[in-house]
Amino acid sequence: MFLRKIKNRSGSSSVQIISKASGRYKVLKTIGSSSTEQELQKLWFLGKQEIEKLSAQSALFVSEKDTLVEQVMNSLGNASIRTVGPELIFGKIYDHIGFQVIEQEMFRHLVISRLAFPLSKLKTVDYLYRYQGVQLDIDAVYRFLDKLNSSLKAQVEQVAFTHTKKILENNLSVVFYDMTTLYFEASDEDDLRKTGFSKDGKHQHPQIYLGLLVGLGGYAIGYEIFEGSIYEGHTLIPFLEKAAAKFNLGKPIVIADAGLLSMGNLAELTQRNYQYIIGARLKSESKTIKQKILSTSWEEGHVVNIKKDDGTKLVVAFSNNRAAKDQHNRQRGLQRLEKQIKAGRLTKSNINNKGYNKYLKMQGKITIEIDYEKFKADKLWDGLKGYITNTQLGAKQVIENYKNLWHIENAFRMSKTDLRIRPIYHRLRHRIEAHVCISFTAYCIYKELERVLYKEKSTLSIKKAAELTHNMYEITFTLPESKHTQSKLLKMDDLQTELYQIVQKNF
């Protein structure tokens, strides 16, 4: 006898027990069917139990011990098997970071579920009931979300900040700030969700801005939500001042990308005694500075310091890898424009400075053409990257500090893809805020798991680790004689064991 998984016309799969006799296969029993991998894993496990039972029945002599085992097996059902991996792994880290001080069991369930199975709230309720035996009422969940942000956000951020201070050994002399857009599937705007410039290219969708502040390594400090139509440059100072008041940050060096570069921001940062390193827009510099940059003989690793009239310093560096990437991106952008022109999809309204549309020009009154001279002129800037700073740091230190900004970009990537913070289907402001708060908490746990996996030199990625938790099971059974109920963690495979041992060792 053996188990077989077969695909059904409906799209689900069935688990069957098959026997072979006289060269023929026969279906002895269908254990059940499902369209989810987790349920199929349970059915497979129950199928193995059934094979053992059928094999035991065919034995000539059955020992007393075998009879007791059979009685235990007969008492088992789907409800006897529970998925415990998410709680074993993520729940342990949740407590270690300090989130257990939040005395809301529903918050814990929603955060851990987002780490293991980032689903809609309705599907999360279904998952918790079917796989973990936790019964939540969807209306109760929505009522909880309505008050979550106002009651828990400050506490969540304080826990995250305290943990970050501990990991970084109180070294918060440098912080990193960035923003991203989160779009909504609904088409209606309101006071929070506004149509604006989208970094995701979803300009037609209502959106919000999410600002995130992290320390070295990408460890979370705090976050804020802004209406979708705001200019991101106007968020930096209010965010920093609010964070400084909440966390007693003092005046760390602030590192941000060129999207937050404006004369007003730099002047206000200086006025408020902040030091900063911000990505520069080299082509927007003065004619004198641009001439100095273009007259330099650039080669791999070459760095130039240029003092500006306002007392700040412009650091410019060249990289062959960046030059190749810039050229590739320009060429790809040009090809896309050529294809659109050929298809007749471009009009006068497309002539602007957004992306590679800057290469478009009007020929006569109605013809749209590509300005190839402008395209060729841009080649002079390939490989160059600039940084504006008012610090006394050397050029190499400025560049090295700015390079750490990728951690915050990675934070957004993890939140958007691994935790699926987007797309967002919520419509009400407080539920949107609650959704982001849950995802922020989940990110803190994800980041801590990433840290210990790296520390233990594990080859597991955090994404793979999350997948491994899906099939960590616990079985509950009643002993036939004593009638005592016991629970036992089922044997894990090698990768699951590695993950479990790392978490037990570090937390």
Side-chain angles (χ1 to χ4, degrees), residues 378-437:
D378 259 2
K379 182 176 177 59
L380 297 173
W381 299 95
D382 286 353
L384 295 174
K385 175 67 179 176
Y387 317 85
I388 293 176
T389 183
N390 64 348
T391 68
Q392 298 303 310
L393 297 174
K396 287 188 177 179
Q397 289 177 292
V398 168
I399 295 169
E400 285 304 311
N401 273 291
Y402 188 88
K403 281 182 179 177
N404 280 293
L405 196 60
W406 76 268
H407 284 295
I408 203 167
E409 294 166 356
N410 188 49
F412 285 134
R413 180 194 63 75
M414 287 167 60
S415 295
K416 289 181 176 182
T417 57
D418 298 328
L419 304 180
R420 298 179 206 168
I421 194 174
R422 68 177 189 192
I424 305 174
Y425 294 91
H426 292 298
R427 179 176 57 83
L428 302 177
R429 179 179 185 130
H430 36 263
R431 291 185 185 172
I432 293 166
E433 292 169 337
H435 176 77
V436 174
C437 185

Side-chain angles (χ1 to χ4, degrees), residues 12-59:
S12 65
S13 296
S14 294
V15 175
Q16 300 174 331
I17 298 176
I18 307 296
S19 69
K20 183 179 181 182
S22 303
R24 288 188 163 189
Y25 293 99
K26 181 181 178 183
V27 178
L28 291 182
K29 186 173 184 179
T30 298
I31 303 300
S33 63
S34 178
S35 57
T36 67
E37 187 59 34
Q38 290 71 38
E39 187 68 25
L40 288 170
Q41 288 277 356
K42 284 188 178 182
L43 293 172
W44 193 267
F45 175 77
L46 291 172
K48 285 185 175 181
Q49 292 179 342
E50 188 65 20
I51 286 176
E52 290 177 4
K53 177 182 173 183
L54 292 171
S55 299
Q57 287 174 349
S58 64

